[in-house]
Amino acid sequence: DGGITQSPKYLFRKEGQNVTLSCEQNLNHDAMYWYRQDPGQGLRLIYYSQIVNDFQKGDIAEGYSVSREKKESFPLTVTSAQKNPTAFYLCASSMRREIGTQYFGPGTRLLVL
Amino acid sequence: DAKTTQPTSMDCAEGRAANLPCNHSTISGNEYVYWYRQIHSQGPQYIIHGLKNNETNEMASLIITEDRKSSTLILPHATLRDTAVYYCIVRSLLNTPLVFGKGTRLSVIA
């Protein structure tokens, strides 16, 4: 059953703590993306990667970090430098030549305690 | 990429066609129009895209005006499960990422 999985569905972070959100895909897609969504707003791009071991900053990369060691995986770390991390985080993937056609995971909702 | 303008919200009766408009008056010749939708608390779902010809797939139809300054997404027989936020996005093929606005909140009413 092909698709994108994100875990966990809900994540709680204490002040000053780093947390890592998981994103895995078995669609054999080269490109992967992380978006942030705040209530009532559209999606904003955090980071994207078009190939293994390479990634680019999106519009709101400050306070976040990523790695792309495997084609299937693109974890996102929300660092303590991100002062307002409470949001809905969405991971997506696409063929490298079809960036406009992205497949999204179910999302992770991050809450700060 | 060109900016898009969509109504904030729309209602549609179940079983009727839902016509969602999008203005993109500054679109350039190499920019495509993409439509996505997002059901509450889920990830967005790709619906359809087009350049200048009308497009149809199993989910919807996309009508682009001849001057390409606006488009309409048509859901021919809306159901309650079509209630979602619909995003119209304009992008070129030059590897530019998608830019999501606030979209149109479509409510399908029984």
Side-chain angles (χ1 to χ4, degrees):
Chain A
D1 198 15
I4 300 178
T5 57
Q6 291 186 244
S7 60
K9 187 173 183 178
Y10 295 95
L11 186 59
F12 299 93
R13 191 191 94 164
K14 295 180 180 179
E15 293 284 346
Q17 186 181 45
N18 292 355
V19 292
T20 298
L21 284 61
S22 169
C23 178
E24 304 276 335
Q25 55 96 3
N26 62 2
L27 299 168
N28 198 32
H29 285 166
D30 292 306
M32 297 187 73
Y33 314 81
W34 274 106
Y35 294 88
R36 168 181 171 140
Q37 187 173 35
D38 293 290
Q41 304 297 314
L43 283 66
R44 291 185 291 169
L45 184 65
I46 305 173
Y47 269 99
Y48 64 103
S49 167
Q50 297 191 47
I51 197 167
V52 173
N53 292 323
D54 186 50
F55 47 83
Q56 289 78 41
K57 293 182 179 180
D59 299 322
I60 55 166
E62 185 174 351
Y64 300 96
S65 66
V66 293
S67 62
R68 186 85 187 279
E69 297 177 0
K70 298 188 300 182
K71 186 176 183 177
E72 302 79 17
S73 178
F74 192 38
L76 173 74
T77 296
V78 184
T79 74
S80 58
Q82 173 48 244
K83 298 306 179 187
N84 185 23
T86 295
F88 188 42
Y89 290 88
L90 288 154
C91 178
S93 71
S94 74
M95 299 292 287
R96 189 175 178 186
R97 295 184 177 182
E98 296 184 12
I99 291 178
T101 307
Q102 296 182 14
Y103 295 82
F104 283 80
T108 292
R109 198 166 295 278
L110 175 62
L111 299 169
V112 176
L113 300 177
Chain B
D1 293 331
K3 179 180 170 60
T4 62
T5 303
Q6 299 179 254
T8 301
S9 63
M10 294 180 63
D11 293 337
C12 177
E14 187 179 19
R16 303 298 295 270
N19 298 288
L20 293 98
C22 180
N23 284 321
H24 31 79
S25 58
T26 60
I27 193 170
S28 61
N30 67 342
E31 290 182 317
Y32 282 67
V33 180
Y34 286 80
W35 283 84
Y36 279 75
R37 73 178 183 185
Q38 185 177 23
I39 295 170
H40 182 62
S41 294
Q42 297 184 21
Q45 177 189 23
Y46 164 82
I47 301 173
I48 199 167
H49 75 279
L51 181 63
K52 55 182 178 181
N53 296 322
N54 298 337
E55 302 286 346
T56 296
N57 63 20
E58 65 278 4
M59 290 184 67
S61 294
L62 173 60
I63 308 298
I64 302 174
T65 58
E66 192 168 345
D67 63 7
R68 302 187 69 240
K69 292 184 177 181
S70 67
S71 60
T72 301
L73 180 75
I74 301 173
L75 309 178
H77 305 286
T79 71
L80 298 178
R81 288 179 293 181
D82 292 321
T83 292
V85 176
Y86 287 77
Y87 299 98
C88 171
I89 302 166
V90 170
R91 69 173 290 274
S92 71
L93 292 183
L94 298 177
N95 275 352
T96 55
L98 294 173
V99 177
F100 288 81
K102 294 186 179 181
T104 296
R105 183 172 300 277
L106 175 69
S107 298
V108 180
I109 302 167

